C-alpha cells in the first residue's frame, strides 16, 4: 500500500457568467479534470445591470454543465455568492481558485486580483487556465453586444443559453 495520502481537492471557478459561454465551459471541463470536486461560483453582483438575473445565470450554468459532468465524472456544484471571493473559497473548502486567461488584456486585472487574494488568504492558490484556440477570444460582453445588434452568436454559447439570450434580447 502506498503511504502517499490523497487529499480531497476542491477547486473554485468564480465569474459572472452573464451568460455562460463555450469559453467558460472549456475552462470548467479542464478544471474538472484537475480536482476531486469543482464549485462554480456565480457572482451575484455582475457589474452594472446584468442581462440575466442571478437565478437564471445559475440555472443556465447548471444546465449547460451536464455534458461536462457526464464526460469527466467529477462532481460540480453551482453556487451563487456575494461575499469576498477568498471568504467564499474558505466556505466551500476550496484549496484553489481557477481563473481563465484570454489575451494579454485579462492579465493586468487577473494579476492584481490573484495578488490581493493571496495577501488576504495565502493558503488559497490561484491557477490560470487557457481555453482551446477555438474558444479563447469569446467573452460574455461581446456575446451580449453581438446578440443585441442582431448578429449570430450560435458558435459562442451552448444551445439553451443561445435560446434564452435571444429571448431576453428580443424583450428589451
Ligand atoms: P468576470 O465577470 O469576473 O470577468 P466572467 O464570467 O467574465 O467573469 O469570467 C470568469 C472567468 O472566466 C474569468 O477568469 C475570465 O477571464 C474567464 N473567461 C471568460 N471567457 C473566457 C474564455 N473565452 N477563455 C478563457 N477564459 C475565459
Amino acid at each position: 500500500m502506498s503511504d502517499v495520502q490523497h487529499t480531497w481537492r476542491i477547486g473554485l471557478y468564480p465569474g459572472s457568467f452573464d451568460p455562460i459561454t463555450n469559453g467558460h465551459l472549456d475552462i470548467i471541463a479542464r478544471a474538472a479534470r484537475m480536482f476531486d470536486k469543482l464549485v462554480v461560483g456565480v457572482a451575484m453582483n455582475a457589474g452594472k445591470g446584468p442581462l440575466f438575473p442571478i437565478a437564471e445565470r445559475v440555472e443556465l450554468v447548471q444546465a449547460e454543465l451536464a455534458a461536462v459532468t457526464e464526460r469527466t465524472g467529477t462532481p460540480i456544484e453551482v453556487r451563487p455568492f456575494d461575499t469576498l471571493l477568498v471568504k467564499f473559497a474558505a466556505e466551500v473548502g476550496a484549496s484553489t481558485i481557477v481563473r481563465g486567461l484570454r489575451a494579454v488584456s485579462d492579465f493586468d486585472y487577473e494579476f492584481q486580483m490573484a495578488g490581493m487574494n493571496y495577501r488576504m488568504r495565502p493558503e488559497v492558490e490561484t491557477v490560470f487556465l487557457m481555453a482551446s484556440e477555438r474558444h479563447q477570444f469569446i467573452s460574455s460582453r461581446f456575446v451580449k453586444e453581438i446578440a443585441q445588434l442582431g448578429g449570430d452568436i450560435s458558435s459562442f454559447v451552448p444551445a439553451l443559453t443561445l435560446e434564452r439570450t435571444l429571448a431576453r434580447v428580443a424583450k428589451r
Side-chain angles (χ1 to χ4, degrees):
M1 216 170 91
S2 152
D3 53 12
V4 178
Q5 295 267 315
H6 178 76
T7 355
W8 182 257
R9 292 219 158 255
I10 301 175
L12 169 63
Y13 179 41
S16 310
F17 305 102
D18 184 43
I20 185 163
T21 68
N22 291 336
H24 291 129
L25 281 174
D26 187 311
I27 299 294
I28 290 171
R30 284 163 203 274
R33 281 187 238 116
M34 297 170 58
F35 300 99
D36 302 301
K37 177 184 166 183
L38 184 69
V39 177
V40 179
V42 184
M44 290 187 189
N45 177 9
K48 274 185 224 135
L51 181 63
F52 290 96
I54 180 69
E56 195 169 2
R57 282 185 275 136
V58 169
E59 182 203 336
L60 286 175
V61 173
Q62 198 120 44
E64 307 292 16
L65 275 182
V68 178
T69 313
E70 215 165 277
R71 253 185 293 136
T72 62
T74 307
I76 306 178
E77 193 187 331
V78 186
R79 285 180 57 166
F81 75 102
D82 64 353
T83 48
L84 199 60
L85 182 57
V86 286
K87 271 198 198 154
F88 183 57
E91 212 178 288
V92 300
S95 58
T96 310
I97 292 169
V98 176
R99 294 288 288 176
L101 270 188
R102 280 162 292 198
V104 197
S105 51
D106 277 340
F107 183 79
D108 209 34
Y109 176 77
E110 295 292 341
F111 174 77
Q112 290 186 5
M113 189 168 97
M116 297 191 62
N117 284 338
Y118 185 77
R119 195 64 82 74
M120 288 184 282
R121 204 176 280 271
E123 56 274 36
V124 177
E125 197 59 70
T126 301
V127 299
F128 298 98
L129 300 178
M130 283 190 295
S132 69
E133 213 183 345
R134 294 189 63 222
H135 299 137
Q136 251 176 42
F137 55 85
I138 302 172
S139 81
S140 298
R141 196 183 116 215
F142 280 115
V143 162
K144 286 181 281 191
E145 277 186 29
I146 294 168
Q148 262 146 12
L149 296 170
D152 179 9
I153 55 162
S154 60
S155 67
F156 306 138
V157 292
L160 179 62
T161 302
L162 172 65
E163 197 181 292
R164 295 286 187 87
T165 305
L166 297 181
R168 284 235 159 232
V169 167
K171 262 198 273 169
R172 281 207 163 176

